[in-house]
């Protein structure tokens, strides 16, 4: 195991990074001996420097959950902020000043007013000098007691950090519970607030310019699939932007530097997305800032001091950064040269000092953190995301191009056990969730766990995945159980044809939409898969669409769900349960606000009545996204037993209890 210097910057890159590549690791270490707890454990990360660069904060796992650690750069005055309730998970934070941290939590609530479970956000400030947690969105009416939840905003979102103002920031709150946001100027020390931007029907999110003036609003008109866009010019007049001209053509990314200008992404001549600076009032393209011929832009990168758009993130095989800012662009290039063979990103900068936090990763390395001092040109290593994982023992992942039965090519990522032959292996096909998402070659705890147990893993990016252009994604619309599923089937058949997979030992495993794809694979191809696993999967498609219809924007996205020309029940696992012939493992979280665990529970009951081989594991925590170690470990442990029973890889050791 690699030694960890978890602070503070006592090592030069040459010595700390390990020029021989070993870092003192015992070469006899076998990754298959690493217990499931190590893979399930949440990583260390989220490092952020205070504005002066004299303090640092980050997340650590403690008792399976994220805890915020705050300390001086010399390690002194260490403080801990744990989640204070079972339903709370800390998800992100930033420094407002050297004494105040703002952090966001997610919580699952069963609110009577919504008649269903919801995942909601809350914002809190924490004063380091005088430790105190203050709820910034606390309603003026009673916030506790029976029925009090009706007074709470359903979400809380930072609109502008107001970097020039140490005491205030702009926050969106929705006390009316209609989805239409009001912006308040909030005092982070007292929680006091005053209205800054009033609610407008159909505007769910507001955005501010570099001068902290609200310039742009976007959302959905109530109970419709129609979009609404508003822009405020320099004369403070609002212009309603024609949704036919904006929606589907542009995706908003940020406010531009001059009147009428927005940063947007739009489809280019390659069919992927470009970053553009446009004048939204005249529809003139002012400047094309970035294009990639093969993949889309994932997100805009903003300046740590001004919040101006200065670059883009995109994923080819890894998530990468590209800056068009003249200051950050040469810095990024220099860091990539200093850390060869790694995917390097600038994760944070001290606002008032030339100190930068750097993250480096690869397919076998879950991540390392460095501090770069631009004044001294010194790059120091100080922490690992997962110190228990040795990159030299992790399974490599490579990009593969998979031919489909209709003559197309889809990308995928193949992870092979490190000590395997690479041929005739027990196989896990792992379709991603979404389906509007994508996989990459980056280190993945599920894939690495499976590979450590002797299984090969394929993550196919079926049509309908994001990242490969508008057309590629659009091909998945109304193709639940159709083309998207056929791509998973074709990917499985390719593994067999290439001799990689043992055709008698292939299992489909997935979460969310991936869980749906796993079950539909068993339904449509009963002879291809020997088993399937669904984690918080979509089980009852008609029911999900009925629930989503009343969500903000739901009437828009449910139009893309289901299979064109088919009844929703024809492609719903709950309604096709009798066609499942192979053993299934069904896992669901009771606090999942996205897909009710009752869907999974009812499918299990139906399968048992049909005398099918079904195992049901119910989790008390984790939410839809498996946010804590407890839920991840429970899922991995259940899958380890299930897969060993049905795939029985010859190289695996017996599982305890079998």
């Amino acid at each position: 195991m690699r030694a960890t210097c978890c602070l503070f910057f006592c090592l030069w890159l040459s010595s700390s990074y390990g020029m021989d590549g070993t870092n003192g690791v015992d070469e006899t270490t076998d990754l298959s001996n690493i217990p499931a707890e190590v893979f399930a454990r949440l990583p260390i990360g989220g490092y952020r420097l205070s504005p002066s660069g004299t303090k640092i904060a980050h997340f650590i796992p403690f008792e399976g959950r994220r805890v915020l650690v705050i300390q001086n750069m010399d390690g002194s005055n260490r403080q801990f902020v744990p989640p204070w309730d079972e339903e709370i998970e800390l998800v992100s934070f930033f420094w407002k000043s050297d004494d105040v941290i703002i952090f966001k939590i997610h919580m699952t609530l069963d609110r009577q007013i919504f008649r269903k479970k919801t995942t909601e956000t809350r914002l809190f400030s924490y004063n380091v000098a005088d430790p105190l947690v203050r709820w910034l969105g606390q309603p003026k009416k009673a916030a506790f007691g029976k029925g009090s939840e009706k007074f709470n905003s359903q979400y809380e979102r930072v609109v502008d950090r107001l970097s020039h103002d140490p005491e205030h920031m702009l926050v969106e709150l929705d006390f009316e519970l209609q989805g239409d946001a009001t912006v308040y100027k909030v005092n982070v020390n007292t929680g006091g607030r005053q209205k800054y931007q009033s609610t407008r029907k159909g505007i769910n999110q507001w955005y501010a310019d570099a001068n902290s003036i609200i310039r742009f609003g976007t959302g959905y008109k109530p109970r419709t699939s129609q979009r609404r866009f508003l822009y405020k010019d320099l004369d403070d007049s609002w212009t309603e932007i024609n949704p036919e001209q904006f929606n589907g053509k542009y995706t908003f990314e940020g406010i531009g530097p001059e009147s009428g200008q927005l940063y947007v992404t739009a489809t280019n001549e390659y069919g992927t997305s470009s970053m553009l600076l446009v004048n939204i009032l005249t529809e003139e393209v002012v400047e094309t800032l970035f294009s990639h011929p093969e993949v889309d832009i994932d997100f805009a990168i903003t300046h740590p001091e001004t919040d101006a758009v200065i670059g883009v993130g995109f994923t080819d095989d890894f998530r990468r950064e590209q800056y068009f800012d003249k200051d950050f662009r040469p810095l990024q290039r220099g860091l990539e040269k200093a850390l060869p063979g790694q995917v390097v990103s600038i994760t944070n900068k001290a606002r008032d000092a030339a100190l930068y936090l750097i993250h480096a990763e690869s397919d076998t390395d879950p991540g390392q953190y460095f501090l770069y001092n631009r004044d001294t040109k010194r790059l120091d290593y100080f922490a690992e995301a997962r110190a228990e994982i040795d990159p030299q023992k992790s399974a490599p992942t490579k990009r593969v191009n998979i031919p489909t039965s209709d003559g197309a090519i889809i990308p995928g990522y193949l992870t092979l056990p490190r000590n395997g032959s690479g041929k005739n292996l027990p196989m896990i096909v792992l379709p991603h969730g979404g389906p509007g998402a994508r996989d990459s070659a980056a280190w993945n705890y599920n894939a690495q766990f499976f590979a450590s147990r002797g299984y090969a893993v394929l993550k196919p990016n079926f049509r309908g995945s994001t990242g490969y252009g508008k057309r590629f994604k659009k091909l998945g619309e109304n193709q639940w159980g159709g083309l998207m599923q056929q791509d998973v089937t074709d990917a499985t058949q390719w593994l067999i044809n290439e001799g990689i997979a043992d055709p008698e030992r292939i299992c489909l495993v997935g979460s969310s939409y991936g869980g749906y794809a796993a079950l539909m694979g068993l339904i449509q191809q009963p002879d291809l898969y020997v088993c399937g696993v669904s984690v918080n999967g979509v089980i009852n498609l008609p029911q999900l669409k009925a629930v989503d219809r009343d969500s903000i924007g739901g009437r828009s996205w449910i139009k893309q769900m289901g299979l064109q020309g088919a009844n929703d029940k024809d492609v719903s696992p709950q309604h096709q349960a009798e066609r499942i012939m192979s053993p299934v493992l069904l896992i669901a979280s009771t606090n999942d606000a996205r897909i009710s665990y009752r869907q999974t529970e009812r499918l299990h009951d139906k399968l048992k009545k049909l005398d099918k081989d079904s195992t049901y594991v119910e989790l008390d925590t984790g939410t839809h996204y498996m946010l804590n170690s407890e839920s991840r470990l429970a899922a991995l442990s259940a899958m380890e037993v299930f897969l060993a029973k049905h795939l029985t890889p010859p190289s695996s050791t017996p599982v305890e209890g079998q």
Side-chain angles (χ1 to χ4, degrees):
M1 211 61 59
R2 293 179 294 176
T4 303
C5 177
C6 200
L7 290 178
F8 291 88
F9 318 110
C10 52
L11 301 175
W12 284 96
L13 176 63
S14 58
S15 60
S16 63
Y17 193 67
M19 294 301 289
D20 61 356
T22 63
N23 281 327
V25 174
D26 179 1
E27 290 298 327
T28 64
T29 300
D30 185 354
L31 200 64
S32 65
N33 292 329
I34 296 180
E37 288 90 338
V38 171
F39 294 94
R41 192 168 297 145
L42 299 177
I44 294 172
Y47 287 91
R48 294 290 183 269
L49 294 162
S50 67
S52 67
T54 60
K55 299 173 184 175
I56 193 166
H58 67 287
F59 287 123
I60 64 167
F62 180 73
E63 295 183 348
R65 304 174 74 189
R66 274 182 163 184
V67 171
L68 184 64
V69 179
I70 307 163
Q71 60 194 45
N72 294 331
M73 291 296 279
D74 62 4
S76 63
N77 194 28
R78 182 173 295 183
Q79 301 176 39
F80 297 86
V81 183
W84 54 89
D85 188 271
E86 290 184 359
E87 297 298 331
I88 286 173
E89 298 293 346
L90 308 183
V91 293
S92 63
F93 73 94
F94 65 89
W95 290 88
K96 173 61 181 154
S97 67
D98 267 11
D99 290 325
V100 176
I101 280 181
I102 307 297
F103 60 90
K104 181 170 72 174
I105 68 164
H106 280 185
M107 58 193 306
T108 299
L109 297 176
D110 196 353
R111 298 180 72 170
Q112 298 175 11
I113 194 169
F114 293 132
R115 299 187 299 278
K116 65 177 182 178
K117 289 183 178 180
T118 58
T119 298
E120 303 187 18
T121 60
R122 298 284 185 268
L123 294 172
F124 292 82
S125 66
Y126 178 80
N127 193 305
V128 178
D130 181 20
L132 176 67
V133 174
R134 186 180 298 280
W135 180 15
L136 298 181
Q138 184 167 348
K140 294 181 179 179
K141 297 182 180 179
F144 304 99
K146 186 176 180 181
S148 63
E149 77 277 357
K150 66 183 179 182
F151 299 117
N152 299 344
S153 172
Q154 62 178 316
Y155 61 82
E156 302 174 13
R157 170 179 168 265
V158 176
V159 176
D160 194 316
R161 291 181 287 182
L162 299 182
S163 299
H164 60 281
D165 182 344
E167 293 189 350
H168 298 90
M169 63 182 188
L170 302 183
V171 174
E172 271 181 1
L173 300 169
D174 174 27
F175 292 117
E176 292 77 22
L177 305 182
Q178 299 296 319
D180 300 323
T182 302
V183 179
Y184 294 86
K185 187 174 183 178
V186 178
N187 187 306
V188 299
N189 296 314
T190 68
R193 59 179 176 265
Q194 61 186 43
K195 189 175 292 187
Y196 191 84
Q197 170 62 54
S198 298
T199 300
R200 289 186 176 234
K201 282 294 182 185
I203 299 299
N204 312 134
Q205 290 188 328
W206 295 102
Y207 299 89
D209 65 13
N211 296 315
S212 302
I213 298 172
I214 303 297
R215 291 282 179 206
F216 190 71
T218 180
Y220 288 88
K221 294 182 179 179
R223 297 189 175 276
T224 74
S225 61
Q226 294 180 308
R227 298 298 306 272
R228 191 177 186 205
F229 304 96
L230 286 178
Y231 180 81
K232 183 163 67 173
D233 209 342
L234 294 183
D235 61 1
D236 288 340
S237 62
W238 287 101
T239 299
E240 184 97 26
I241 300 172
N242 186 341
E244 298 299 323
Q245 295 176 332
F246 194 93
N247 192 36
K249 182 177 182 180
Y250 298 127
T251 299
F252 172 82
E253 300 291 350
I255 307 293
E258 297 183 14
S259 176
Q261 292 182 352
L262 298 179
Y263 291 103
V264 299
T265 52
T267 303
N268 56 35
E269 67 271 25
Y270 307 111
T272 57
S273 60
S274 294
M275 175 67 77
L276 308 176
L277 180 62
V278 302
N279 186 311
I280 197 60
L281 303 178
T282 65
E283 292 196 74
E284 173 194 5
V285 176
V286 179
E287 185 179 3
T288 299
L289 296 164
F290 179 84
S291 288
H292 194 288
E294 297 178 355
V295 296
D296 290 327
I297 293 166
D298 294 335
F299 56 89
I301 301 173
T302 57
H303 196 283
E305 298 171 14
T306 66
D307 286 331
V309 174
I310 59 172
V312 299
F314 64 94
T315 304
D316 44 21
D317 294 330
F318 296 91
R319 196 183 81 166
R320 303 184 189 275
E321 295 179 354
Q322 180 77 34
Y323 291 89
F324 37 81
D325 177 83
K326 63 181 180 180
D327 187 46
F328 275 76
R329 182 166 49 200
L331 173 60
Q332 175 73 17
R333 291 174 179 173
L335 290 167
E336 289 171 349
K337 290 181 180 179
L339 297 167
Q342 297 281 73
V343 180
V344 181
S345 59
I346 304 169
T347 62
N348 186 233
K349 178 190 178 297
R351 189 175 67 215
D352 304 322
L355 296 175
Y356 300 77
L357 287 170
I358 311 302
H359 180 263
E361 64 176 346
S362 72
D363 61 323
T364 57
D365 189 339
Q368 302 180 61
Y369 291 91
F370 299 83
L371 181 80
Y372 179 63
N373 187 317
R374 202 167 188 178
D375 289 337
T376 64
K377 310 300 182 186
R378 176 166 169 162
L379 180 68
D380 290 315
Y381 158 84
F382 67 92
E384 298 168 88
R386 296 176 180 269
E388 307 93 336
I389 298 295
D390 176 12
Q392 296 183 41
K393 304 301 179 183
S394 291
T397 298
K398 66 177 182 179
R399 160 83 173 262
V400 291
N401 295 315
I402 303 166
T404 64
S405 53
D406 62 354
I409 298 290
I410 63 169
Y413 295 93
L414 181 64
T415 303
L416 297 176
R418 197 168 187 94
N419 299 322
S421 64
K423 295 294 182 181
N424 203 39
L425 296 170
M427 190 82 214
I428 293 173
V429 179
L430 191 66
H432 61 70
R438 61 156 292 171
D439 273 316
S440 71
W443 196 96
N444 174 275
Y445 83 91
N446 277 305
Q448 290 293 333
F449 172 73
F450 295 141
S452 76
R453 270 49 181 173
Y455 307 110
V457 182
L458 178 69
K459 299 179 291 184
N461 281 330
F462 44 83
R463 281 168 284 188
S465 302
T466 55
Y468 299 101
K470 186 175 180 179
R471 181 177 180 275
F472 192 92
K473 182 181 185 300
K474 200 169 182 64
L475 287 170
E477 294 180 5
N478 304 120
Q479 290 299 317
W480 291 51
L483 182 63
M484 290 194 292
Q485 195 67 46
Q486 184 61 47
D487 281 353
V488 175
T489 300
D490 290 343
T492 305
Q493 192 59 55
W494 174 81
L495 290 165
I496 296 171
N497 296 342
E498 292 293 310
I500 298 168
D502 179 347
E504 303 299 321
R505 294 187 293 167
I506 305 176
C507 189
L508 267 173
V509 179
S511 299
S512 193
Y513 173 84
Y516 168 88
L519 295 172
M520 286 306 299
L522 301 187
I523 291 166
Q524 296 184 352
Q525 301 292 332
D527 298 327
L528 190 58
Y529 305 104
V530 300
C531 61
V533 180
S534 169
V535 182
N536 292 330
V538 178
I539 306 296
N540 189 322
L541 184 56
Q543 184 182 83
L544 180 65
K545 291 178 69 173
V547 171
D548 281 5
R549 185 180 302 276
D550 292 329
S551 301
I552 299 172
R555 292 171 189 253
S556 175
W557 71 65
I558 65 172
K559 292 179 181 180
Q560 303 172 17
M561 298 165 68
L563 179 61
Q564 186 175 5
N567 187 290
D568 285 340
K569 293 182 179 180
D570 295 339
V571 287
S572 173
Q574 177 68 28
H575 299 88
Q576 300 296 319
E578 66 279 356
R579 296 172 59 187
I580 295 177
M581 302 300 174
S582 300
V584 294
L585 171 62
L586 303 172
I587 302 174
S589 301
T590 58
N591 65 346
D592 184 346
R594 179 67 189 99
I595 300 171
S596 172
Y597 76 99
R598 296 292 187 187
Q599 285 197 20
T600 302
E601 186 180 56
R602 288 172 186 141
L603 176 60
H604 171 68
D605 291 342
K606 185 173 182 178
L607 290 172
K608 298 304 287 186
K609 288 180 181 179
L610 292 169
D611 200 28
K612 306 286 186 178
D613 187 345
S614 175
T615 303
Y616 175 53
V617 175
E618 191 170 282
L619 309 178
D620 294 328
T621 64
T623 78
H624 186 69
Y625 306 101
M626 310 294 278
L627 291 177
N628 58 38
S629 297
E630 180 184 347
S631 60
R632 294 183 181 190
L633 177 58
L636 291 181
S637 299
M639 287 189 283
E640 183 168 21
V641 173
F642 180 80
L643 294 170
K645 179 179 179 180
H646 297 291
L647 296 186
T648 58
S651 61
S652 71
T653 56
V655 176
E656 184 177 349
Q658 291 295 296

